[in-house]
């Protein structure tokens, strides 16, 4: 049984998203067992290393597509009928812009959250401290599940035509809303994490982002604590709105055990 669905049979949103991305894609209808998706992603990842592309799984959600279009073409007004040439020009402009120093960007994020802590009357050092317990290993994607149907969401596996994983966000500029970082911040952080940990963006939905790594970023939770603070400042909702008892210390333990990073913004 094949899982490949011909492009002419894809839903309209899948065809529109591929038109926007302008790269080879494979469509996956919802399924109860995500093993075919996982295997296809791993195969694409291996090919990507040789052929110079970065594979990314993208869910077919209207909010995701609209965010990408707004961040690429602020004046667009008709989702299915955007100008592909204008998208390409805007994407090249994003790629040509120099990225700021990653430490400055992340330090600014931390300073902003420390200021929020002071304004809200809670102890910053207590928030980023705590016991290094409550974490668990994560080596599989979770962001693309529909927890109402218990199936995966419909999605595309896109072969983003860049060997630099941080440049994925020039093709998928989904952020800039609420506390979700904007395109430049995503690219800057992604470049840092690739250079330090060989981490690459792998799954993007309308409000979640997952990275994949060849091995955990640290050997112990204590070694992972500074990284946990960094990731917390990048996406505080991932901790603040997680299960009761999950802390930055728990995230540090998770990072020491995991080859997948999960981010979520409310």
């Amino acid at each position: 049984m094949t899982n490949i669905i011909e492009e002419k049979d894809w839903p309209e949103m899948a065809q529109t998203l591929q038109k926007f991305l302008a790269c080879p894609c494979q469509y996956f209808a919802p399924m109860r067992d995500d093993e075919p998706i996982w295997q296809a992603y791993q195969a694409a990842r291996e090919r990507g290393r040789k052929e110079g592309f970065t594979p990314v799984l993208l869910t077919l959600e209207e909010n995701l597509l609209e965010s990408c279009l707004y961040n690429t073409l602020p004046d667009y007004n008709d989702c299915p009928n955007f100008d592909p040439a204008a998208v390409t020009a805007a994407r090249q402009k994003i790629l040509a812009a120099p990225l700021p120093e990653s430490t400055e960007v992340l330090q600014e994020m931390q300073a902003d959250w420390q200021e929020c802590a002071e304004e809200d009357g809670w102890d910053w050092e207590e928030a980023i401290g705590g016991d290094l317990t409550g974490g668990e290993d994560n080596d599989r994607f979770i962001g693309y599940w529909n927890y109402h149907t218990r199936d995966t969401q419909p999605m595309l596996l896109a072969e983003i035509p860049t060997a630099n994983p941080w440049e994925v966000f020039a093709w998928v500029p989904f952020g800039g809303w609420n506390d979700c970082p904007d395109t430049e911040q995503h690219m800057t952080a992604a470049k840092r994490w690739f250079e330090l940990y060989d981490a690459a963006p792998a799954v993007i939905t309308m409000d979640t982002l997952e990275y994949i790594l060849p091995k955990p970023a640290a050997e112990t939770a204590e070694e992972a604590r500074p990284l946990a603070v960094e990731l917390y400042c990048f996406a505080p909702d991932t901790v603040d709105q997680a299960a009761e008892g999950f802390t930055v210390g728990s995230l540090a333990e998770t990072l020491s055990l995991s080859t997948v990073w999960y981010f979520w913004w409310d």
Side-chain angles (χ1 to χ4, degrees):
M1 176 180 177
T2 180
N3 293 291
I4 297 177
I5 300 174
E6 293 185 13
E7 185 176 344
K8 64 181 179 61
D9 297 322
W10 292 4
E12 180 181 4
M13 187 177 295
Q15 296 184 39
T16 302
L17 182 56
Q18 185 181 44
K19 175 185 172 184
F20 173 79
L21 296 170
C23 69
C25 295
Q26 182 177 346
Y27 170 70
F28 291 95
M31 59 184 71
R32 188 59 52 97
D33 179 1
D34 69 341
E35 185 63 21
I37 299 169
W38 178 256
Q39 293 296 332
Y41 172 81
Q42 293 291 356
R45 192 177 180 209
E46 185 64 28
R47 282 196 302 109
R49 293 190 185 101
K50 300 173 183 177
E51 299 175 18
F53 68 84
T54 300
V56 180
L57 289 159
L58 304 167
T59 54
L60 297 184
E61 298 172 279
E62 186 175 347
N63 286 349
L64 173 59
L65 180 57
E66 288 192 346
S67 290
C68 290
L69 280 164
Y70 273 123
N71 286 331
T72 306
L73 303 172
D75 297 326
Y76 101 100
N77 57 17
D78 190 345
C79 181
N81 297 315
F82 59 86
D83 180 2
V87 170
T88 298
R91 186 172 291 142
Q92 291 304 315
K93 185 176 181 180
I94 293 172
L95 291 169
L99 293 177
E101 178 62 40
S102 62
T103 53
E104 294 178 4
V105 170
L106 294 166
Q107 286 172 358
E108 183 178 342
M109 286 184 174
Q110 179 167 332
D112 288 343
W113 285 109
Q114 285 183 264
E115 183 178 345
C116 289
E118 293 175 3
E119 292 175 353
D120 293 342
W122 47 277
D123 189 297
W124 172 256
E125 294 301 326
E126 181 179 343
I128 65 172
D131 295 334
L132 298 167
T133 59
E136 57 184 35
D137 65 296
N138 181 21
D139 61 0
R140 194 80 171 207
F141 303 139
I142 60 175
Y144 52 52
W145 287 100
N146 183 323
Y147 291 99
H148 298 290
T149 65
R150 299 187 181 276
D151 290 331
T152 59
Q153 297 190 63
M155 71 186 87
L156 291 184
L157 173 56
E159 298 178 4
I160 306 297
T162 176
N164 299 324
W166 61 90
E167 293 181 344
V168 158
F169 297 104
W171 274 262
V172 194
F174 80 114
W177 45 269
N178 294 353
D179 292 324
C180 185
D182 61 24
T183 301
E184 182 181 75
Q185 291 170 322
H186 273 294
M187 291 180 69
T188 301
K191 185 173 187 293
R192 170 183 173 83
W193 296 332
F194 176 71
E195 293 173 344
L196 290 176
Y197 310 109
D198 201 15
V203 179
I204 302 176
T205 79
M206 70 175 186
D207 57 5
T208 67
L209 168 64
E210 290 177 284
Y211 278 74
I212 191 165
L213 300 83
K215 64 179 182 179
E219 293 186 359
T220 69
E222 188 59 51
E223 291 177 356
R225 190 191 290 274
L227 176 61
V229 174
E230 189 172 295
L231 301 195
Y232 171 67
C233 293
F234 193 74
D237 289 336
T238 307
V239 172
D240 292 344
Q241 300 199 45
E244 184 176 356
F246 192 81
T247 65
V248 174
S250 305
L251 177 59
E253 185 178 39
T254 295
L255 294 175
S256 71
L257 301 170
S258 302
T259 56
V260 172
W261 293 352
Y262 173 82
F263 297 95
W264 174 69
W265 294 269
D266 191 2

